[in-house]
Amino acid sequence: MGHSLSIEDRVRAIVTAHDGERGRLLPILHGIQAEFGYVDEAVVPVLAQELNISRADVHGVITFYHDFRKAPAGRTEVRVCRGEACQAVGAENLMAHAQRRLGVSTGETTPGGDVTLEQVFCLGNCALGPSVQVNGRLYGRVGTERLDTLMAEADAR
């Protein structure tokens, strides 16, 4: 990528892009995650200073919203839909299987950074549940064996 700007400068540029917005901390945090792939603890003091709020307030928002990653995601990102339609056709069992198989909880990345397991609350594929997204690609009617296959294929890439 070759960014010549420091992390602080890149964060300040994102803050500046949201100047004048009400409730701009959330859009700024989404911008930071889009830019860096996660929200590093190092950005907390910069945001507190730039927005004139306490570090505790910034940290509180980051930890309250599950969308924000505190570390880089794994090379493979597996997102299991936990919306009602998918839950009704086995998403809970699928998530439990993925957690056992990977040895991580929801929102965690396997040691070595191979796979990050996430839950989402609707992938918009309700008629074809349970739905899973692997590295941005959507799959429907996913059972445990298919999930294992999808994860193995993603890992092999």
Side-chain angles (χ1 to χ4, degrees):
M1 293 210 194
H3 290 285
S4 57
L5 292 173
S6 71
I7 289 174
E8 289 81 5
D9 289 340
R10 289 162 67 193
V11 169
R12 284 190 186 96
I14 294 166
V15 170
T16 302
H18 293 279
D19 265 355
E21 287 181 26
R22 289 181 54 130
R24 60 193 183 140
L25 181 55
L26 272 177
I28 288 168
L29 288 168
H30 282 292
I32 288 168
Q33 181 148 301
E35 169 92 4
F36 298 101
Y38 66 108
V39 179
D40 193 301
E41 279 297 315
V43 307
V44 172
V46 180
L47 289 176
Q49 181 184 11
E50 290 293 313
L51 301 173
N52 198 25
I53 56 179
S54 73
R55 290 180 183 200
D57 285 344
V58 176
H59 190 74
V61 170
I62 294 168
T63 53
F64 180 79
Y65 291 95
H66 297 296
D67 301 353
F68 301 120
R69 257 190 226 102
K70 285 137 198 92
R75 286 181 291 285
T76 299
E77 190 176 12
V78 176
R79 304 169 82 202
V80 177
C81 183
R82 303 292 294 272
E84 286 182 27
C86 288
Q87 286 289 88
V89 290
E92 200 159 324
N93 178 46
L94 196 60
M95 179 57 92
H97 172 79
Q99 290 173 336
R100 276 194 310 273
R101 174 101 187 179
L102 298 170
V104 296
S105 296
T106 307
E108 293 181 347
T109 301
T110 55
D114 293 328
V115 180
T116 297
L117 180 63
E118 302 278 359
Q119 65 181 348
V120 291
F121 287 94
C122 191
L123 287 169
N125 199 28
C126 305
L128 299 175
S131 295
V132 172
Q133 198 175 43
V134 179
N135 292 338
R137 289 196 58 187
L138 184 62
Y139 302 91
R141 297 200 173 101
V142 176
T144 54
E145 286 180 22
R146 178 129 186 257
L147 181 62
D148 289 345
T149 302
L150 291 171
M151 289 192 298
E153 286 171 357
D155 195 38
R157 284 199 187 103

